Amino acid sequence: MNTNYLFPNYAKRIGWLLAVPSFILLCLVIMTDSPDFMEFTVFSIIPDDFLNQENPSYWVTNNLADEVLTLTTIIGGLLIAFSKEKKEDEYISEIRKSSVIWAVYVNYALYMLATITIYGFDFLWVLQFNVLTLLIVLIVRYEWYKYQLKKSLYEE
């Protein structure tokens, strides 16, 4: 079994330390105002109203709180989802593979449901959370099946 594409086992702890606080803070930032100290002038590939201007400015002022928290949540989620287990065997690999497939199905089902039920500016929030939904569903399903496996081995 080839597991060269997985992170080392210790990366899972780092992932939990990154993902959980970042996700909680991201939810707080979305529900409230972003902190002022995260305001920066940054380069934008496509400025806000570049179609309506003859000489658009590619330097924009933006609050980077949600971008930083989204990135750290994604990095943490990737470390959690794709780190080796202490005992990595074929059954764990099968659980991981089926969890990835299942997460993709659920992610796109939720995306399609949101596409036909959420409109306007609110749909941008759907897009942002859609990036995280795949990792969240994957991690929850994978950890649940690992828990069920450990529970069944303990009962035997």
Side-chain angles (χ1 to χ4, degrees), residues 74-99:
I74 290 170
I75 291 167
L78 288 170
L79 290 173
I80 295 167
F82 298 107
S83 291
K84 290 180 184 177
E85 296 297 323
K86 287 181 182 173
K87 184 180 181 222
E88 188 78 29
D89 60 11
E90 284 84 16
Y91 192 66
I92 291 292
S93 293
E94 187 60 34
I95 291 173
R96 188 187 316 274
K97 182 172 65 173
S98 70
S99 295

Side-chain angles (χ1 to χ4, degrees), residues 10-150:
Y10 68 84
K12 185 173 283 212
R13 284 189 213 102
I14 296 169
W16 283 111
L17 290 173
L18 279 174
V20 173
S22 295
F23 183 72
I24 292 168
L25 287 172
L26 179 63
C27 292
L28 288 172
V29 163
I30 288 171
M31 289 187 280
T32 62
D33 289 333
S34 297
D36 291 336
F37 69 89
M38 292 297 290
E39 288 279 336
F40 293 98
T41 300
V42 293
F43 182 77
S44 175
I45 295 174
I46 301 174
D48 285 340
D49 54 357
F50 80 103
L51 292 176
N52 298 331
Q53 297 180 359
E54 287 183 27
N55 295 317
S57 171
Y58 290 94
W59 291 96
V60 297
T61 300
N62 186 38
N63 192 302
L64 296 180
D66 57 338
E67 285 88 353
V68 169
L69 292 171
T70 299
L71 288 174
T72 54
T73 302
I74 290 170
I75 291 167
L78 288 170
L79 290 173
I80 295 167
F82 298 107
S83 291
K84 290 180 184 177
E85 296 297 323
K86 287 181 182 173
K87 184 180 181 222
E88 188 78 29
D89 60 11
E90 284 84 16
Y91 192 66
I92 291 292
S93 293
E94 187 60 34
I95 291 173
R96 188 187 316 274
K97 182 172 65 173
S98 70
S99 295
V100 169
I101 293 167
W102 198 79
V104 169
Y105 286 153
V106 170
N107 184 58
Y108 278 104
L110 291 172
Y111 180 74
M112 289 186 292
L113 179 65
T115 299
I116 60 174
T117 60
I118 300 173
Y119 305 100
F121 188 72
D122 292 335
F123 192 72
L124 290 176
W125 294 115
V126 169
L127 292 176
Q128 182 168 1
F129 278 110
N130 186 256
V131 171
L132 301 175
T133 306
L134 180 66
L135 284 171
I136 292 169
V137 172
L138 168 60
I139 292 167
V140 168
R141 186 173 191 275
Y142 177 68
E143 295 296 329
W144 175 255
Y145 272 82
K146 275 189 353 189
Y147 168 77
Q148 292 294 324
L149 176 63
K150 288 179 185 176

